[in-house]
Amino acid sequence: LLGTSTAWLVTAYDFPGRRFLEWALLLPLAVPTYIVAYVYLDLLHPIGLIQGAVRAALGYTSPHEFRLPDIRSMAGCIVLLGFVLYPYVYLTTRAMFLTQAANLVEVSRTLGSGRGGVFWRVALPLARPAIAVGVSLALMEALNDIGASEFLGVKTLTVSVYTTWVTRSDLPGAAQIALAMLSLVVALVTIERWARRRQRYWSSPQKARSFTPHRLGTVSGLVVFALGLLPVFIGFIAPASYLVVEAWKRVRFAGLSPRLLSETLNTVTLSAMATLAILLFGVVIAYTARSLPGRITAALQRITTVGYAMPGT
């Protein structure tokens, strides 16, 4: 919902701040899910900053008189993961929206479809494969998560794998749970592909003219910008700002840790080497799929993405 709607807003409409939102909507991916969970648990704690401000505004003095719903729940975990992982869907769906030809939109408009009808009847069905890819990535990332789920008190298969292996020292049992996770991912992806097995998507080999975004007025443009900025604020700006403030407090109190430089260097080195390895394997897989097209190659290509659902721990 978040990824598809924001992708359509920044693609189909022109408003103040659109260029900023085009790349800012990707920023929540820069914050690990467990960090977001830690931050919002502090902010939304019964004696935390937000609930304290709400009680002060409403005239309450004690958490017993008024408190917001506990974020350590299934609903809280779903909301937080949604605001952090939606860029997977946004990225793939926006790429599909950008490649849709203007003549398709213009024909639908001449047939009487409004802007909402263009989205629901033309743009959204054509973007379904891209949405499926983004949802699959977000699904596997959610299955891969362990820190946020465990911290928010949600018992997931990933947490069970970790506790079975580390706490109970039962490696075969952990392997069985991990196999069940992989089977679930394969089943969901297979069901989605089966549901659209008879659909065909065609594009012209010639470069198509992209449709021009509709220019919004000042007021409506600011409203759309605020709506697009909301997931960025919840998924990145608020957690990052909180971390900056807390880090500054730590520096003022105890100074910089001598281990910080070495740990930062290790992090950068690991990230750079992992990125190079990912690029290498990705290019090899993509080149193989393009050079040797066929069912076996396509199946192997899809299998390589399933490992993304396995927790790194």
Side-chain angles (χ1 to χ4, degrees), residues 19-185:
R19 297 292 184 184
F20 168 76
L21 286 181
E22 286 179 355
W23 59 266
L25 284 165
L26 297 173
L27 291 177
L29 285 179
V31 185
T33 53
Y34 66 91
I35 296 295
V36 176
Y38 296 160
V39 168
Y40 277 104
L41 187 60
D42 279 350
L43 291 175
L44 297 175
H45 194 272
I47 58 174
L49 177 64
I50 294 180
Q51 295 213 42
V54 172
R55 283 195 299 271
L58 297 178
Y60 296 106
T61 58
S62 172
H64 298 287
E65 297 176 338
F66 175 83
R67 61 187 301 175
L68 296 175
D70 191 1
I71 193 175
R72 300 189 66 177
S73 61
M74 177 66 75
C77 186
I78 291 174
V79 171
L80 287 183
L81 289 179
F83 276 103
V84 175
L85 302 181
Y86 79 86
Y88 285 113
V89 181
Y90 164 79
L91 190 62
T92 56
T93 307
R94 173 166 162 75
M96 179 62 75
F97 286 154
L98 289 174
T99 59
Q100 291 179 0
N103 57 343
L104 298 177
V105 177
E106 293 170 354
V107 168
S108 63
R109 294 298 301 274
T110 57
L111 293 177
S113 295
R115 300 192 183 279
V118 170
F119 172 73
W120 290 107
R121 299 176 183 177
V122 179
L124 191 61
L126 290 176
R128 184 175 174 181
I131 296 174
V133 171
V135 169
S136 299
L137 291 174
L139 171 65
M140 288 186 283
E141 179 69 21
L143 288 175
N144 181 31
D145 175 76
I146 182 173
S149 301
E150 185 176 19
F151 190 70
L152 295 176
V154 178
K155 191 71 172 179
T156 63
L157 289 176
T158 305
V159 176
S160 298
V161 170
Y162 182 79
T163 55
T164 302
W165 187 2
V166 177
T167 305
R168 304 175 186 174
S169 300
D170 186 3
L171 181 57
Q176 292 175 359
I177 300 175
L179 182 61
M181 291 175 56
L182 290 179
S183 301
L184 176 62
V185 173

Side-chain angles (χ1 to χ4, degrees), residues 21-22 81 132 204 217 237 251 263 277 300:
L21 286 181
E22 286 179 355
L81 289 179
S204 173
I237 296 178
V251 170
E263 292 174 353
L300 292 176

